[in-house]
Amino acid sequence: MRLLPEERTDEVSALSRRVAASFLGQSVRRFALIEGFDRCIVLSSQALTALIPLFIVVASAAPAGQEDVISRSIIRRFNLTGASADAVEQLFRAPAGASSSVSVFSALLLIYSAMAFSRRLQSMYRAAWGRTKVGIRSTMYAGLGLVAFTVMAGLSYLVRELASRFPLEWLWTIPLQAGVGFVLWTCIPYLLLERQVHWRRLLATGGASAVCMTILAIGTPIYMPGTMARATADFGLFGVTITLLGWLLVAAGIIVACAVMGAQFDSSDARWLVQLKSRFALTDPAASESVRTVQHADRVVDGGLTAGDLLAIVHVLVNWSIMAAAVWVATALVPGITVNGG
């Protein structure tokens, strides 16, 4: 049975409304309302600004013969070889006879840049959760969040170094890194939101951030060598900076997206989300009675995508996957067929 144009228009309009009312649609709307893309750019740029004085301080304070500690760490983390590795070594090589005055200035700049990054991150979490700034107290909690980030980053490095001493390094590193990340990305928003949001309500944000950042960490040594090599070949040493900024932009996008989805998860009244929050105690215990009152008042809604909508989306994704696999097989087996761009 063929649908008339008017019926097709009504069906598309109904689907658009269901998409807009779904969890994903509401998350996208919240992302747009807080100017998520702008915040991703600001966070990644601020992180790079904080990393530059950090690299200078570490290289200047390194023992004799280990001035290349920063370049070696980047090369190992991104699995670089050849010209791209040489470019990283040249860019981050500590100057001979670096003075203590430069180190002191860099240390002060590092503290200022790190605090600025923490404040930007705090502003993003406040916007996602609809919280307001409370003066000097916000600065104090921004500092605490920075301390927590530093401690957890150091712990993550120690875990990775410890796991590297055992066989099947990845088998130990992945779950340990995910566990550390889960604690990190639950504690940081808890502190940056000035403990106004109960930590249980932040577990969804922490879990999503930990999983996505772990996936990024797994994909980094796979994707970055080729990207760094192309950028270095096209732009020289500047290509290293461009690639690092791009990697930080992806990481910032993950953090912002997970913060938005966590806030939307917490505020949603969709029936399946309310049941999920109740089952795993992802709510403030002091507000449990009010949650039950909302459920009994029949305010829990079932809006959003239907089973047919989800089936159609899965169908499209499967078709895309099959086409991508077909193109990959063709480039691998048929001589003369190449695909540029990754």
Side-chain angles (χ1 to χ4, degrees):
M1 178 179 178
R2 297 184 60 184
L3 297 176
L4 297 176
E6 296 80 3
E7 294 174 325
R8 292 178 180 174
T9 302
D10 293 341
E11 187 175 291
V12 171
S13 299
L15 176 60
S16 300
R17 289 192 296 270
R18 291 196 297 271
V19 170
S22 67
F23 171 73
L24 181 59
Q26 291 296 315
S27 297
V28 172
R29 180 176 180 274
R30 187 185 289 258
F31 184 88
L33 288 175
I34 70 167
E35 300 177 336
F37 287 112
D38 292 343
R39 293 184 183 276
C40 292
I41 294 173
V42 169
L43 281 175
S44 59
S45 303
Q46 196 69 60
L48 183 63
T49 303
L51 285 175
I52 292 175
L54 174 63
F55 291 161
I56 295 175
V57 170
V58 172
S60 301
Q66 298 185 19
E67 294 84 358
D68 60 344
V69 59
I70 295 298
S71 59
R72 284 190 290 106
S73 298
I74 295 176
I75 290 171
R76 184 177 61 177
R77 185 68 189 89
F78 290 166
N79 195 27
L80 302 178
T81 57
S84 57
D86 295 338
V88 171
E89 288 183 353
Q90 183 178 354
L91 182 62
F92 294 104
R93 183 183 297 122
S99 64
S100 59
S101 61
V102 173
S103 300
V104 171
F105 175 78
S106 300
L108 295 175
L109 182 61
L110 170 61
I111 295 173
Y112 179 82
S113 301
M115 277 298 299
F117 170 75
S118 183
R119 294 291 297 272
R120 296 293 184 275
L121 194 61
Q122 184 182 47
S123 175
M124 184 274 296
Y125 278 115
R126 280 203 307 262
W129 284 82
R131 302 290 167 169
T132 57
K133 184 178 179 180
V134 290
I136 192 65
R137 179 179 173 182
S138 295
T139 303
M140 181 186 70
Y141 277 104
L144 291 176
L146 180 61
V147 171
F149 184 86
T150 304
V151 171
M152 289 297 176
L155 181 60
S156 178
Y157 176 80
L158 292 177
V159 166
R160 188 165 58 249
E161 289 297 314
L162 180 62
S164 65
R165 302 176 184 272
F166 295 92
L168 298 177
E169 175 185 350
W170 62 270
L171 186 62
W172 304 93
T173 302
I174 293 176
L176 290 175
Q177 286 284 91
V180 172
F182 178 65
V183 176
L184 170 68
W185 295 113
T186 302
C187 291
I188 285 181
Y190 178 66
L191 292 173
L192 295 182
L193 290 171
E194 301 157 29
R195 300 170 58 191
Q196 296 178 2
V197 179
H198 195 276
W199 63 268
R200 287 187 180 182
R201 298 170 61 189
L202 294 165
L203 290 177
T205 299
S209 300
V211 171
C212 293
M213 293 299 285
T214 301
I215 294 174
L216 176 63
I218 295 172
T220 291
I222 298 174
Y223 187 78
M224 285 297 289
T227 303
M228 184 75 78
R230 289 191 295 270
T232 303
D234 293 339
F235 304 104
L237 296 180
F238 188 58
V240 177
T241 305
I242 294 175
T243 308
L244 287 177
L245 183 59
W247 186 86
L248 290 172
L249 182 60
V250 173
I254 290 175
I255 295 171
V256 175
C258 290
V260 167
M261 294 180 71
Q264 183 60 38
F265 176 85
D266 179 77
S267 63
S268 178
D269 285 337
R271 187 177 300 277
W272 68 276
L273 288 176
V274 171
Q275 293 173 348
L276 191 64
K277 287 184 283 189
S278 300
R279 180 177 181 180
F280 294 99
L282 302 178
T283 58
D284 188 343
S288 59
E289 185 63 31
S290 62
V291 171
R292 286 195 292 268
T293 301
V294 169
Q295 291 175 325
H296 291 162
D298 199 25
R299 289 177 54 191
V300 182
V301 297
D302 287 320
L305 297 175
T306 64
D309 298 334
L310 295 176
L311 185 62
I313 293 173
V314 171
H315 182 70
V316 171
L317 293 177
V318 169
N319 285 340
W320 283 352
S321 301
I322 292 175
M323 287 188 291
V327 171
W328 179 80
V329 171
T331 57
L333 299 181
V334 181
I337 296 181
T338 59
V339 177
N340 297 324

